[in-house]
Amino acid sequence: MTTEENAPPTTYFPSMRRTLLVALGSIALVVGSALLLVEHASLGHSAFKGVVAGVFGVLFFGFCACVSVGRLLRRRPELVLSSGGLTHGVLGSIAWIEIAEVGIREIKVRSHSERVIELVLHDPAAYLARAPRTARIAGAVALRMGYSPANISVGTLPVGLDEVLAAMRRHHPELTIRE
């Protein structure tokens, strides 16, 4: 039997089904936003709000579509857990010694809620200084709102929250997990 020190890394690739659904949904919303833009652009000055909504919709959902299609084509791991720490597709690498504790946070959006893994860091500013650009921007916003700058959505993973937490414990048994 292997010990935690020499256990092979646990690797999770993005859920292909969920990523495909996000890609298709984003593409549909780009088309809808483009139609809104074309329809309101022909109406002139009185349809300014529709034009702005169409432009922002095309840009935002176009970005979402590009990211999800890129994930489908590249097939990079979303999350890798090892004895040294974790590497996340958006957050980058975080060593276990940087993590004070792991918490479970429920984020509610209208009638839907999603549980995320919140990595409570000893020094959030040090992490943000070296984090990838996207994680740095989102992390700074989360920090201003009183949350950790490093959160992992299990919605993009092919496994559930409990399995990810169990793997974290396997790789770092001293990890404090607040549920």
Side-chain angles (χ1 to χ4, degrees):
M1 182 167 168
T2 61
T3 65
E4 289 81 12
E5 283 297 313
N6 58 15
T10 302
T11 303
Y12 299 108
F13 286 88
S15 166
M16 291 299 288
R17 180 177 171 272
R18 291 177 185 156
T19 306
L20 181 61
L21 288 173
V22 169
L24 294 174
S26 296
I27 291 167
L29 288 167
V30 166
V31 170
S33 296
L35 291 174
L36 179 73
L37 176 63
V38 169
E39 180 180 316
H40 283 82
S42 65
L43 296 176
H45 180 61
S46 64
F48 179 73
K49 289 180 183 178
V51 170
V52 171
V55 168
F56 282 119
V58 167
L59 293 175
F60 177 75
F61 294 115
F63 174 76
C64 293
C66 289
V67 169
S68 56
V69 168
R71 282 183 172 182
L72 287 170
L73 297 176
R74 277 193 303 266
R75 290 293 295 155
R76 278 191 324 213
E78 181 74 10
L79 179 64
V80 179
L81 305 170
S82 68
S83 61
L86 61 89
T87 303
H88 185 265
V90 174
L91 301 175
S93 296
I94 302 173
W96 294 122
I97 60 172
E98 296 178 81
I99 301 172
E101 70 178 11
V102 171
I104 309 306
R105 180 170 297 279
E106 190 166 335
I107 298 173
K108 294 180 182 178
V109 179
R110 295 187 185 156
S111 63
H112 174 72
S113 66
E114 181 181 354
R115 293 171 43 185
V116 298
I117 298 172
E118 180 179 41
L119 305 175
V120 180
L121 305 174
H122 289 293
D123 189 355
Y127 165 71
L128 287 175
R130 65 172 171 73
R133 183 176 182 180
T134 304
R136 191 170 47 246
I137 293 167
V141 170
L143 199 58
R144 279 192 294 261
M145 294 173 62
Y147 302 112
S148 171
N151 297 285
I152 299 172
S153 170
V154 291
T156 60
L157 300 175
V159 297
L161 180 77
D162 294 332
E163 187 173 329
V164 175
L165 293 175
M168 287 179 161
R169 282 189 178 114
R170 274 195 312 275
H171 289 287
H172 190 64
E174 300 85 28
L175 185 65
T176 301
I177 298 179
R178 172 183 39 86
E179 293 190 51

